[in-house]
Every structure is written in C-alpha cells, then in structure tokens.
C-alpha cells in the first residue's frame, strides 16, 4: 500500500505536465505495476511478524515480560529472525533484533545478566548472532563480547574424554542440548579468528564433542540417543552402569541434529572430520521416521515411547526434525531421495501445530514443551512422568525458531 501511495503522489505532480487522459493512463499503469509487485508474505516472515506483533520488543520473547535476560531462548529465536532478514529484507526485523543486543551488550563488551563463571553452555548460544551484527554494524562492542564468550569456551569444564560439562552446576554431565548451545559459536569463532595453523586442532576438538556425546548417549535398543550422560554414574537420574538418562527426549535429539547442521555450515569442505558428522546425521535420520506417529507423521514428547498413554505430539522436536531433513537434503548431507519425505514432513508440522489466530493472519505454533531438564534443585528424574509434567505452551522460542528455519528451507525449495 505504501508503494501505491507513492505512485499516486508522483501522478499528482505529473498532472501539470500532461493531459488528463495521459495522466490517467500513467495512473493505471502504475497501479497495475504496484499490484504485480506486491509480495505474498512467506510462512517464515509471517511467523516473525506474528511474534513481533505479540511481543512489542524482544524482551517479551520467551514470556519475559519486558525483562532483559541473556539466554539461549531469545538468542535462538532472534537468530532465526536474522536469517529471515537476510533472505527477504525488512529493516524493522533487523532493528527489532539489534535493539535487544544493543541493550544487552555494553560498550566495553561486557554483557548484562551474563557471567562467564557460571560456565553454562546455555549462555554461549545467544552469542552466535554477534558475528553478523558485528559485520553489519561495525560496533566494536560486539567483537569484544564475542571474545568474552570465547573465554568461557576456553575455560568450560570437561569430562575425561574432552566433552564440555553442560553447566558448572551439572558437573561431569553431557546433555545433547549443550552440544547445540556451544559448538556452533565455537566453530565460527575458530574459522574467523584463529590462525591457520591452529584451526585443525580446534576443529578436531569440536567434532570430538559430537563423537563423545553420541557414544555416551546412544541407546542400542532404539538406535536413538538418550537426553544426557553422567560420567560419575552417581546422579539419581542416571543408570548406575551406563550413566545414561532414562529416555530419548525429542527436543534433546533435535538440538543435537541442528548442532550438526550449524557446524557443517562452517567447517571447511577440505576438513576430513565433516564425514564423521554427516555419518552420524544419516544414522539418526534413518531411524527417526520409524518413531514418528503413523497417523500424523510428527513426533512425541518422549521420543522412544510413541503412542504410550499420556504422551503427546510435540511441536519443538517435530519442527527441529523437519528442518533437519529439509536442510540436510538441500546441503547434500542426506540422500536427495529423501526430498519428497522432507517436504511432506513440513506439511505434517504445519497441519498439526500451526494455527491462524486472527483476520490479519497472525499464526502460532502450539503444543510446545516449555522446558526439559535433569537434576537441579527439584531433582528432575527424567522418567516418563517427568517429561509429561512440564507445561505445554504456544509460541515458545524453542518452537518458533526451528519452525522459521524449516519454513525458510521449504521456501528455498519452492
């Protein structure tokens, strides 16, 4: 509509130089041109703008009610917004994202509400967007903030096999969640800022994280991966012999798959360790369809208990797996023969979880598990009952972001 108004203003100024008949012809031509150039909003844009409508600033994402908190949840969703901006434009989208980061990051590179000493991998995740923000704005504070977060990576406690503890408060524990939180930032920092003679060693360290996590959480009975592993085998939620948690939680495996995709985006084509990651990804994607609900095509909250009474179809993991198949095929990590299935899967996710909220076309993603963890102050046991006890919400960041990415992949295919 803004374009059309501009066209009519141009027509009005031209009227003094042309006859009424000529002016009318110009007007009709310009209106036709404007109508033809109006772009149908994509599903990825629609989700971004629906969230921006619901949340006047990014400080309202993740149900924060206007409070700034440096955490993986808004970081995840805002990274998806930047990807939409880079694909379709929309300066209001970029401004929405940058306003949050501009307030979070101080001029000296310190980050409000962030502490290196917590050694929580969750707090590394939102730093992924700093690379693009630094490139686009040139603000040195973003580069300083990257360096600060990298000091956490350097000091993050590790298991005896070299894998990061998920958090300092969860000693000797590997969570699949944490692989996603740390490794994509780590690999991009190495690629951008390490000297050439130091990169291969760092890439090996990054791939080792995936290998150790896979080895220690793999469940041979299901050929899926359990949520977490305790090296001490002493946590109440951990098996006393294997150290594994009790179940394969859908979103945990979704995090792990997305981490592989993000890291493969950055690792050089010449680096041999890429084949290790693509091999793991192919093994996972060979098994996942077997665990989907046969009626709807999507996945359950407790991944290894499909159809069990009380278990429910869960949006965040389903969106993550949809994105995994679509991008995996596009990038050549998965067999191209999977493309028809990947496209159908996206349709299943839309049909099962996406609703239209109003006449303006705002959309929501529903049936998102709000949180999932192990241990902690309330000693979450990771049993079937626990995963069903957490609140189920709409428009959780952990569903919105992956759905945007899956939509972008589908739009690239179209």
């Amino acid at each position: 509509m803004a374009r059309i108004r501009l066209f009519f203003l141009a027509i009005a100024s031209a009227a003094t130089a042309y006859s009424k008949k000529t002016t009318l012809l110009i007007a009709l031509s310009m209106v036709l041109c404007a109508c033809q150039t109006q772009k149908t909003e994509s599903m990825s844009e629609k989700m971004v703008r629906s969230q921006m409508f619901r949340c006047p600033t990014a400080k309202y994402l993740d149900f924060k009610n206007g409070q700034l908190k440096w955490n993986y949840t808004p970081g995840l969703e805002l990274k998806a917004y930047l990807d939409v901006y880079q694909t379709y434009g929309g300066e209001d989208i970029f401004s929405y994202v940058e306003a949050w980061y501009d307030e979070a990051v101080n001029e000296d590179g310190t980050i409000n509400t962030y502490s290196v000493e917590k050694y929580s991998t969750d707090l590394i995740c939102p730093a992924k967007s700093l690379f693009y923000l630094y490139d686009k704005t040139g603000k040195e504070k973003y580069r300083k903030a990257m360096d600060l977060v990298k000091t956490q990576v350097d000091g993050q406690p590790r298991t005896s096999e070299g894998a990061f503890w998920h958090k300092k408060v969860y000693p000797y524990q590997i969570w699949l969640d944490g692989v996603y939180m740390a490794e994509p930032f780590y690999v991009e920092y190495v690629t951008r800022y390490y000297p050439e003679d130091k990169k291969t060693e760092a890439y090996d360290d990054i791939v080792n994280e995936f290998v150790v996590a896979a080895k220690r959480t793999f469940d041979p009975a299901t050929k899926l991966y359990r949520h977490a592993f305790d090296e001490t085998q002493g946590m109440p939620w951990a098996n006393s012999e294997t150290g594994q948690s009790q179940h394969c939680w859908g979103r945990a495996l979704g995090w792990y798959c997305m981490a592989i995709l993000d890291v493969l985006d950055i690792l050089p084509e010449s680096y041999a360790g890429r084949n290790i990651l693509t091999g793991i990804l192919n093994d996972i994607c060979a098994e996942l369809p077997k665990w989907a609900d046969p009626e709807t095509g999507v996945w359950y909250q407790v991944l290894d208990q499909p159809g069990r009474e009380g278990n429910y179809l869960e949006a965040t993991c389903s969106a993550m797996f949809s994105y995994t198949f679509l991008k995996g095929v596009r990038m050549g990590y998965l067999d191209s023969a999977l493309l028809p299935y990947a496209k159908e899967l996206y349709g299943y996710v839309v049909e099962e979880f996406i609703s239209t909220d109003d006449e303006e076309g705002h959309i929501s993603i529903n049936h998102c598990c709000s949180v999932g963890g192990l241990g902690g102050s309330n000693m979450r046991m990771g049993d079937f009952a626990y995963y069903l006890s957490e609140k189920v919400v709409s428009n959780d960041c952990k569903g919105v972001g992956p759905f945007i990415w899956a939509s972008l992949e589908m739009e690239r295919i179209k």
Side-chain angles (χ1 to χ4, degrees), residues 30-102:
M30 287 182 167
V31 170
L32 179 60
C33 178
C35 293
Q36 288 175 337
T37 56
Q38 293 300 302
K39 180 171 67 68
T40 302
E41 194 171 54
S42 67
M43 189 67 87
S44 61
E45 291 173 286
K46 190 176 290 188
M47 180 56 84
V48 171
R49 297 198 178 280
S50 296
Q51 283 290 85
M52 290 171 63
F53 173 78
R54 284 185 281 265
C55 303
T57 75
K59 291 189 291 184
Y60 286 85
L61 297 176
D62 198 33
F63 316 105
K64 288 294 185 288
N65 296 320
Q67 296 179 336
L68 178 72
K69 184 178 181 182
W70 182 265
N71 197 20
Y72 75 97
T73 43
L76 165 81
E77 186 165 334
L78 292 176
K79 177 64 171 66
Y81 289 16
L82 285 178
D83 292 338
V84 171
Y85 168 71
Q86 290 177 264
T87 304
Y88 296 111
E91 290 304 318
D92 58 331
I93 297 175
F94 177 80
S95 296
Y96 185 92
V97 175
E98 211 259 330
W100 188 85
Y101 278 92
D102 194 44

Side-chain angles (χ1 to χ4, degrees), residues 83-259:
D83 292 338
V84 171
Y85 168 71
Q86 290 177 264
T87 304
Y88 296 111
E91 290 304 318
D92 58 331
I93 297 175
F94 177 80
S95 296
Y96 185 92
V97 175
E98 211 259 330
W100 188 85
Y101 278 92
D102 194 44
E103 183 174 346
V105 179
N106 301 310
E107 290 303 318
D108 62 357
T110 56
I111 301 171
N112 295 317
T113 78
Y114 170 70
S115 171
V116 170
E117 289 71 26
K118 288 183 179 179
Y119 287 106
S120 166
T121 56
D122 286 351
L123 303 182
I124 298 173
C125 178
K128 289 194 298 181
S129 291
L130 292 174
F131 298 104
Y132 180 76
L133 291 171
Y134 175 61
D135 290 345
K136 182 168 175 62
T137 69
K139 293 181 179 179
E140 283 298 322
K141 67 177 186 176
Y142 293 143
R143 173 60 203 273
K144 293 175 182 177
M146 284 183 243
D147 293 340
L148 175 64
V149 174
K150 181 55 168 54
T151 66
Q152 178 187 333
V153 174
D154 295 338
Q156 190 74 20
R158 297 173 180 248
T159 69
S160 63
E161 296 173 295
F164 292 142
W165 295 4
H166 181 48
K167 298 181 182 181
K168 185 178 179 180
V169 296
Y170 299 140
Y172 302 99
Q173 296 173 33
I174 302 170
W175 293 22
L176 294 182
D177 319 33
V179 181
Y180 177 82
M181 302 303 159
E183 302 308 317
F185 171 83
Y186 184 11
V187 73
E188 187 158 0
Y189 190 98
V190 168
T191 301
R192 283 177 174 245
Y193 301 125
Y194 270 35
E196 289 299 321
D197 62 344
K198 299 293 184 183
K199 287 182 178 179
T200 298
E201 181 181 1
Y203 292 149
D204 290 344
D205 184 37
I206 290 161
V207 171
N208 181 67
E209 181 83 13
F210 288 90
V211 171
V212 173
K215 179 173 71 173
R216 293 304 181 185
T217 63
F218 182 70
D219 175 15
T222 62
K223 297 184 180 180
L224 300 172
Y225 296 91
R226 301 283 181 91
H227 187 173
F229 163 75
D230 169 30
E231 188 174 40
T232 71
Q233 302 172 349
M235 291 300 295
W237 53 260
N239 184 288
S240 60
E241 295 181 0
T242 67
Q244 293 181 350
S245 58
Q246 296 185 46
H247 286 290
C248 305
W249 179 42
R251 186 156 74 229
L253 188 54
W255 287 129
Y256 186 78
C257 290
M258 294 203 305

